[in-house]
């Protein structure tokens, strides 16, 4: 049996262990230290937009702290893109608040600006103005930042930019992660760079970053003893995993190039196949890191072959693929929360499939994928 081809697996650059070894050698085996500071500085330099980065234990923790920083409390409402990973929405519930889910637009698969505005107007009319908007750059594709930020500022609602999948993507040459009032990043094992597990909050001022770090380290007041005036969290990144992050920052641009090359591979391949669309930037304003390459399969044009048939065929060849994120408004756990929009995200979920996209795939892997696709579509 051939080895498994994964959707997206960790890809080390080579220098990560040097940073980790240094942490051991100097006994900085703690949730702060030179690697944490260095990793934050690397990210600030990379994002290059006068931002301040706080390294945290996960992207989910970053979203949770983002909501806390924006004062989201029990009974509040928070708008959230429906088509996303559940980690975008779960922290709303941690705060005892209610998510209000919004459909996608067709070209970016992200928050639809029209449905967003309809929802805001309706929630305000119902007497509960949303406290925040969580917008996601799905699979690395930037959301329509111009339109989304215009709606947000018209109604004076802060934006949490979920850039967990989009480090290295840009919209109008500005790096994703720097558009929202707060941005969040993830370094989970399957993301474009990884610290094995980790995340970050991107803030516009040093004060906000420091407040986030304060919450993330148990909200300790300035005192020789342990004194607390606010509820704290244990959400800081450790100096060990930050060392992995520093090594990964050295290969981030290379990973983006390689993921984009995987996307080109699929674009070329599917040019010859009727009924399959590869998810691609709508125009030159958008530059996706193509964290995951995704396709839409229209069974009416493929002789009845569905995206799920393809998933099973690839699986039989020991190649991992996965349906798109199932929209949150269709998830049992969020069944009672409000939803605005039509059926775009639902039909994307019906017909979509993510294909192997890792920066560590080689020509041998690509040939195996091509073989499996050929035998499914042409065999
Ligand atoms: C991965 C991911 C997160 C959560 O990040 P973790 O570091 O895994 O907690 C949040 N939002 C989206 C869209 C993600 O893909």
């Amino acid at each position: 049996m051939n080895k498994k081809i994964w959707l997206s697996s960790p890809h080390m650059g080579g220098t990560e262990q040097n940073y980790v070894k240094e942490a051991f050698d100097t006994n900085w085996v703690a949730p702060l230290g030179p690697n944490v500071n260095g990793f934050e500085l690397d990210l600030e330099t990379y994002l290059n937009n006068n931002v301040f980065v706080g390294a945290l234990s996960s992207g989910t923790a970053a979203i949770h702290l983002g909501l806390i920083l924006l004062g989201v409390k029990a009974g509040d409402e928070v708008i959230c893109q429906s088509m996303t990973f559940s980690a975008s929405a779960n922290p709303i519930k941690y705060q005892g608040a209610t998510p209000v889910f919004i459909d996608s637009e067709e070209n970016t698969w992200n928050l639809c600006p029209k449905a967003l505005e309809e929802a805001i107007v309706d929630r305000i009319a119902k007497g509960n103005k949303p406290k925040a908007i969580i917008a996601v750059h799905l699979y690395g594709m930037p959301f329509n930042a111009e339109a989304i930020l215009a709606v947000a500022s018209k109604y004076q609602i802060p934006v949490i930019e979920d850039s967990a999948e989009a480090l290295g993507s840009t919209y109008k040459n500005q790096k994703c992660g720097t558009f929202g009032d707060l941005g969040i990043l993830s370094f989970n094992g399957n993301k474009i760079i990884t610290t094995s597990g980790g995340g970050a909050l991107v803030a516009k001022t040093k004060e906000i970053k420091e407040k986030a770090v304060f919450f993330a380290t148990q909200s300790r007041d300035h005192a020789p003893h342990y004194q607390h005036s606010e509820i704290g969290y244990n959400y800081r990144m450790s100096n060990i995993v930050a060392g992995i992050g520093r090594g990964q920052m050295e290969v981030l641009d290379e990973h983006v190039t390689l993921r984009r090359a995987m996307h080109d591979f699929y674009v070329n391949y599917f040019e010859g196949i009727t009924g399959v669309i590869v998810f691609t930037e709508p125009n030159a304003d958008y530059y996706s890191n193509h964290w995951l390459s995704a396709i839409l399969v229209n069974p009416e044009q493929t002789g009845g072959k569905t995206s799920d048939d393809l998933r099973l065929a690839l699986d039989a060849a020991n190649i991992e693929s996965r349906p798109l994120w199932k929209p949150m408004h269709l998830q049992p756990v969020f069944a009672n929360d409000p939803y605005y929009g039509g059926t775009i995200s639902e039909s994307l979920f019906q017909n979509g499939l993510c294909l192997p996209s890792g920066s560590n795939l080689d020509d041998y892997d690509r040939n195996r994928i091509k073989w499996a696709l050929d035998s499914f579509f042409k065999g």
Side-chain angles (χ1 to χ4, degrees):
M1 189 69 164
N2 271 316
K3 78 169 169 41
K4 178 123 181 168
I5 294 179
W6 299 98
L7 204 61
S8 177
S9 67
H11 183 195
M12 293 298 108
T15 63
E16 293 84 358
Q17 284 187 332
N18 302 343
Y19 292 102
V20 173
K21 183 172 185 307
E22 194 182 307
F24 271 78
D25 290 347
T26 54
N27 203 30
W28 278 106
V29 187
L32 83 194
N35 279 337
V36 174
N37 299 336
F39 186 40
E40 288 177 344
L41 195 63
D42 290 346
L43 285 164
E44 286 166 1
T45 307
Y46 183 81
L47 294 172
N48 185 29
N49 203 43
N50 295 319
V51 291
F52 298 85
V53 173
L56 301 171
S57 54
S58 71
T60 311
I63 296 172
H64 189 197
L65 287 186
L67 294 170
I68 292 166
L69 287 163
L70 295 174
V72 172
K73 294 189 187 68
D76 287 339
E77 291 189 352
V78 174
I79 285 182
C80 185
Q81 181 165 324
S82 183
M83 183 139 193
T84 186
F85 179 43
S86 64
S88 304
N90 283 334
I92 301 169
K93 294 282 189 181
Y94 301 167
Q95 287 306 96
T98 301
V100 175
F101 292 114
I102 311 286
D103 201 4
S104 294
E105 57 172 0
E106 228 153 319
N107 57 355
T108 67
W109 298 6
N110 293 314
L111 210 50
C112 169
K114 229 176 120 254
L116 171 65
E117 184 158 14
E118 280 165 21
I120 293 171
V121 169
D122 193 55
R123 299 324 286 180
I124 292 174
K126 289 186 161 70
N128 211 348
K129 181 178 166 180
K131 272 296 206 34
I133 297 165
I134 300 176
V136 188
H137 305 295
L138 220 55
Y139 304 122
M141 183 66 71
F143 57 74
N144 183 343
E146 203 162 76
I148 298 300
L149 296 180
V151 174
S153 86
K154 180 173 172 188
Y155 296 94
Q156 300 273 301
I157 303 173
V159 173
I160 295 179
E161 180 193 359
D162 182 344
S163 201
E165 302 176 0
L167 183 59
S169 299
T170 64
Y171 173 79
K172 295 195 169 174
N173 292 319
Q174 185 180 332
K175 290 253 164 55
C176 288
T178 66
F179 286 97
D181 296 83
L182 294 165
I184 79 103
L185 303 171
S186 168
F187 313 110
N188 203 346
N190 58 354
K191 299 290 157 70
I192 190 138
I193 62 165
T194 181
T195 59
S196 76
L201 189 83
V202 183
K204 295 279 194 262
T205 70
K206 193 159 178 280
E207 289 67 37
I208 296 171
K209 175 210 159 152
E210 281 169 357
K211 189 77 192 186
V213 170
F214 167 80
F215 285 131
T217 49
Q218 309 287 20
S219 299
R220 277 188 72 184
D221 293 342
H222 194 71
H225 56 279
Y226 279 79
Q227 167 92 12
H228 307 275
S229 311
E230 292 183 83
I231 294 295
Y233 302 83
N234 184 3
Y235 279 172
R236 194 65 161 134
M237 179 177 279
S238 95
N239 196 53
I240 299 293
V241 305
I244 306 175
R246 292 187 78 183
Q248 288 273 281
M249 284 306 287
E250 296 177 14
V251 291
L252 171 55
D253 282 335
E254 190 188 323
H255 283 197
V256 173
T257 302
L258 290 165
R259 297 244 176 192
R260 288 179 56 85
M262 278 311 293
H263 177 262
D264 287 344
F265 164 78
Y266 291 117
V267 169
N268 288 333
Y269 181 83
F270 285 108
E271 259 165 22
I273 308 285
T274 346
V276 177
I277 293 169
V278 181
F279 183 37
T280 300
E281 290 96 330
N283 61 53
D285 289 343
Y286 297 81
Y287 180 88
S288 172
N289 67 11
H290 289 301
W291 170 58
L292 293 187
S293 289
I295 55 170
L296 293 176
V297 180
N298 181 347
E300 283 166 25
Q301 294 171 12
T302 57
K305 292 170 175 163
T306 68
S307 57
D308 209 51
D309 296 335
L310 175 57
R311 182 181 64 79
L312 294 169
L314 291 171
D315 188 55
N318 213 20
I319 297 169
E320 186 184 29
S321 65
R322 197 179 295 153
L324 304 189
W325 300 123
K326 181 174 179 177
M328 292 303 114
H329 73 280
L330 303 176
Q331 299 284 358
V333 70
F334 296 122
N336 296 322
D337 298 310
Y339 171 72
Y340 291 82
T343 56
I344 290 174
S345 59
E346 191 170 341
S347 85
L348 291 170
F349 172 63
Q350 287 302 328
N351 299 312
L353 195 69
C354 296
L355 298 173
S357 307
S359 46
N360 48 4
L361 298 175
D362 59 17
D363 282 340
Y364 181 75
D365 298 323
R366 278 182 285 274
N367 276 329
R368 275 181 58 198
I369 294 167
K370 186 177 174 306
W371 255 76
L373 291 172
D374 275 346
S375 67
F376 179 76
F377 285 106
K378 302 173 182 170

